[in-house]
Amino acid sequence: HMMLCLMIDRIARIPTRTVLLLLCSLCIISLQILRSHDSYYAVEAWTSLPPQHRHKQQLYTTHLFDRTRVHRQLYYQPNSQQSTLEEIPEQRHHDIQSTTSAAASELESSSQINPSNHKLDNLRILLIDNHDSYTYNLYQYLSTMTTYPVKVVMNDAFSTLDEFIDSLDESEGRSSGDKSNLLQQHFDCIVLSPGPGQPSHASDMGIVLDTIRYSSEIPILGVCLGHQALGYVYGKEVTLAPCGPVHGLMSSVYYSSNQQNESDADDDDADDEREQLSCQLFRGIQQNFNVVRYHSLVVDFPDDAFSEDSEIEPIAWCKGLVGNEEEYPSDICMALRHKRYPHVGVQFHPESIGTGEAGYQIIRNFCDFAYQYKMNNKKEGVIEGESIEAAESSLPTTVQLKTNDLIASKTSHRQIYIHKLEGQSSSSSHPEEVFQELFSSRENSFWLDSSTGKTQLDNGEDNEGCPIISNSRFSIMGSNDGPLSRKIEYFGIEHPKEKRGLRVTSNSGNTETSTIDTDILSYLRQTLIEDGGFSDHVHMVSFNETEGDQTFHAANSELPFDYRGGYVGFLGYELRHITQCSLFELEGGHGCTINDSDASRERTNPNVPTAAFFFADRSLLFDHHTGDWYLVGVANKGEEVIDDMLGWMKGTQAQIEAIGKLPSSTISSSSALNSKNANKNAVEFVPNRPKDQYQMDIARSHEEIRNGESYELCVTNQLEAEITLPKRSDKKLHESPFDLYKILRTNNPAPFSAFMNFYNKDDDDSSDASASLSICCSSPERFLSVKQDPQHENFVVESKPIKGTIARYIGDEGESESSDMVKTINDRIMQELRDSTKDQAENLMIVDLLRNDLGRVCEVGSVHVPYLMNIESYATVHQMVSTVRGNLDGNTSNAIDVIEACFPGGSMTGAPKQRTMEILNEIEEGVSRGPYSGCLGYISLNGCMDMNIIIRSAILTPIPNTDDSMECWKASIGCGGAITALSDSNDEYDEMLLKSRIVRHSISQWAAQQHSSFT
């Protein structure tokens, strides 16, 4: 520096003192830049907004996510007195992406929580559910910390707090005293869950506010809305967050120093008394730890937050940015405590998978405090329960699923027979050809089609490690013409009263239809149990061709698949009315009623039931990995029945072998279509709600999010078209939709595709009592699977939610998908999706929601996230996919209970699920979504299940037509997207059209093909 100074002094004749001052200033600036480089916080860029509206856009302090879809990036340095927003230089962009990727890896690693081995003896916890979709994440954590089962109750299950206390007295013995003493006799601490709404709205809070008021001597932890309720009761205003809504994003939280350690022994008596009542909520947690936030409101602490007049005080904060011209930082309260009562609250979500170990530790600290408080303040008259291991019970005491009442100790009278047809003799029999020849002409048939499936012969590789291929290994097909087969149709609230109910059409001898006064899930649960429970005892059948007889042997371990015959069908979205009522009643509610005015029945398709299933007693399964076929038969005990089953197996084997010898023309003819004609004469689809209305719906969604009513809303639309086609003389009406499905599966192969036909025996039968529809589905998303755990006696439940979609680069005409250019472009597109703030937030919200749903039925401590935000590629799109798993105790619950706990899929609703669905019903004008947004798949006789989410699908229903030479169809395509605070109305409308594009194009190809065959 001295040499430089002398040179400058000599050349420029500038005084040395001045030069030294300049150099010192440059050094300080350089150090500050380096410091900010290591600790920058990427925030949401506002450059996409017009200048006059930039103050309305929330700016998030977060070191996890950054936007790569905008050219300008902003960063915020929290260590300075005045925050600075500046454009990140272009050369730093790569470093930001690297940091984001590393942080995303950190988030994935946080998905594995190590529960404490030490449980608190008989700590009695009351968890009040504010109709949230994350409550059971809290339940799962809490249940690992106490030997006493956690009690869960919805906040409006009882009209008053007195009524709730009376219900406790009736079940545990009459007690006396005021409300505070009565609550303390039953519970040692209370946790108030997150939820939609505002604490100032009594209808949102139920018994919560009175619980706070009458529990001054009971430790309370409030989370999000529960935190806000504490602030509201103790005199603070709950206002809109100065930074705007924050949902699914992460922030750094710092807390007051006296929250880290206990007070010193030298403190005066007043401080000792205060610390005795204080919960050291952040003990063992480092400063500036990362949390996930889902909130639009905050507890507002004015400048005199620490004045003696205030009953509560803030104890933790994060940095937010207030939308004024100066963009000054604002401390947002992230935690509070009461100065005299053992009440604490956190605004963020400790139970989120993104908060990780720190969140678990916070809840553990509260439980430790509550246990010590209990020991220090033990009173007479406290009702103690027997100590039991909470982990042994997968459900709270208030949530005893209906299966428990139905389990019977009897042997199944169903017998399962499976015959394997080796791939060497049938490998040339493609599933499409087999379905075409054996089932496409049937009025009622199904094909659960893993259309992305590949055999080893196709590519010479072992695909077990590929998530797409491994999900696509097996395809299942059949019809309902077996001797035990049944067709079950359920018409729910979206249909007129005279049509509602469940109809069962049996195929035993004469076809008979009966109407049953129950819902579809109750029927499935009851019949599965009445059939003798779930059975996995399989008779493997081998035929001796030379001697003309057969042999049987048990071989469950030899089978690579879980399907054993059973129920195959779909559950439409409107079944939500049944599942939500069931959950309300299971959490203490009584007399749940469905609002009869919710549905717009005049716009409901009468041909489409709410749900429909086949009991498949005879079906085929194809292994894409080996080329083997399996014939799966279900029969009652009896020699004649078995002989009939064996005859079916022999005949079907001969048919499959014969199909393999035919020229392979089906596939080539169905896929070699004139795409140009389809584009030229494209079928015109009309949206149920036009673009202007859809954008208004998004604005309404943003308003609901700002007001704290929802974190995320999956707004959907229906694209509809009426199609008139020439009628083929060689085919019946119900056979036409399969031609469409062949095109769709070629254009958009997907692991959870399906084709289903539900028709009467006579196509001309226009009875309103029965269904008439075809489902052509190319779904990439698994909703739920239940598989047997070979290492244990329980089941493994899995869900694979998709949130985050971006168009895949297909390449120009004649350009190979394997070319370096196509790969490079798609790699860049996938990275863009991987780094998208909006898509990461959406995915995280749904992952937390599914953890909650599985937490209702899965064993305590078993719900985990092995894969978080993986990118999977399909024919036309790349998608962000996560995997959530948990263990299910088959002795206490089954696949129907899993559906009841999780349906509809959170990726098609948003969160919190119940309130969000109510808002969506208003936005979508009460129009039924039909099968779209529901699920489709099988429920096997051995207790296993696999269900997709019905997306990327067309629903076809026939339209009455007087022209015998023509056939008319109504085609409906459901599509939509998740709306968050970060959503743009134009982007969301375009995304909706993108998701429907391949289905619309396939329908246009189908129509063009039908017309061209008559020219």
Side-chain angles (χ1 to χ4, degrees), residues 573-574 576 598-604 688-689 693-694 696-698 700-701 713-718 908-910 916-930 932-933 974-979 992:
Y573 175 78
E574 302 308 326
R576 63 190 173 92
D598 279 350
S600 178
R601 277 176 284 280
E602 67 274 8
R603 298 169 72 177
T604 296
N688 189 275
R689 305 189 312 284
Q693 180 61 50
Y694 196 80
M696 290 173 61
D697 295 339
I698 295 173
R700 159 80 186 276
S701 300
L713 300 97
C714 186
V715 177
T716 72
N717 208 353
Q718 297 283 336
M908 302 307 298
T909 62
T916 299
M917 286 192 296
E918 293 170 356
I919 297 170
L920 288 172
N921 191 70
E922 295 177 8
I923 288 175
E924 296 173 10
E925 301 172 351
V927 176
S928 168
R929 293 187 183 181
Y932 170 67
S933 298
C975 47
I979 308 302
M992 178 198 71

Side-chain angles (χ1 to χ4, degrees), residues 582-762:
S582 296
L583 295 181
F584 177 73
E585 292 172 354
L586 289 168
E587 289 190 27
H590 301 281
C592 176
T593 57
I594 300 173
N595 189 348
D596 203 40
S597 62
D598 279 350
S600 178
R601 277 176 284 280
E602 67 274 8
R603 298 169 72 177
T604 296
N605 192 325
N607 292 320
V608 180
T610 307
F613 277 83
F614 303 119
F615 181 78
D617 60 338
R618 295 182 178 181
S619 47
L620 311 182
L621 182 144
F622 180 72
D623 186 343
H624 291 271
H625 189 60
T626 64
D628 296 335
W629 283 92
Y630 293 85
L631 282 56
V632 183
V634 180
N636 291 328
K637 294 180 180 179
E639 187 174 343
E640 293 182 1
V641 175
I642 295 175
D643 288 342
D644 184 63
M645 174 70 64
L646 297 175
W648 167 75
M649 287 183 170
K650 289 181 179 179
T652 304
Q653 174 178 333
Q655 288 178 298
I656 292 175
E657 292 174 345
I659 292 170
K661 297 175 183 178
L662 295 174
S664 181
S665 58
T666 305
I667 302 172
S668 59
S669 63
S670 65
S671 57
L673 301 170
N674 192 331
S675 188
K676 293 182 179 179
N677 287 340
N679 292 328
K680 183 179 179 181
N681 301 295
V683 173
E684 183 177 353
F685 283 85
V686 178
N688 189 275
R689 305 189 312 284
K691 182 175 182 178
D692 290 346
Q693 180 61 50
Y694 196 80
Q695 292 177 325
M696 290 173 61
D697 295 339
I698 295 173
R700 159 80 186 276
S701 300
H702 281 149
E703 187 67 22
E704 299 289 356
I705 291 170
R706 277 193 294 273
N707 291 333
E709 300 296 330
S710 179
Y711 315 142
E712 174 182 9
L713 300 97
C714 186
V715 177
T716 72
N717 208 353
Q718 297 283 336
L719 306 180
E720 297 177 340
E722 293 189 2
I723 306 167
T724 301
L725 305 173
K727 192 172 185 178
R728 294 180 55 172
S729 59
D730 59 335
K731 286 189 177 182
K732 292 185 177 181
L733 180 66
H734 66 264
E735 297 181 55
S736 290
F738 184 62
D739 291 332
L740 165 60
Y741 179 68
K742 289 188 291 185
I743 297 170
L744 179 60
R745 75 183 300 270
T746 301
N747 289 342
N748 192 44
F752 303 106
S753 298
F755 174 76
M756 286 189 169
N757 258 358
F758 293 91
Y759 291 91
N760 299 308
K761 292 293 184 182
D762 182 1

Side-chain angles (χ1 to χ4, degrees), residues 570-571 775 777 779 931-936 948-953:
F570 76 90
L571 300 170
I775 300 176
C777 174
S779 173
Y932 170 67
S933 298
C935 62
L936 178 157
N948 74 0
I949 292 283
I950 303 178
I951 54 177
R952 315 289 194 274
S953 303

Side-chain angles (χ1 to χ4, degrees), residues 141-166:
Y141 280 8
L142 291 167
S143 295
T144 67
M145 301 173 186
T146 175
T147 62
Y148 198 85
V150 177
K151 187 176 184 65
V152 185
V153 62
M154 279 192 181
N155 67 11
D156 58 348
F158 301 90
S159 57
T160 64
L161 182 60
D162 286 329
E163 184 181 326
F164 171 57
I165 294 174
D166 287 342

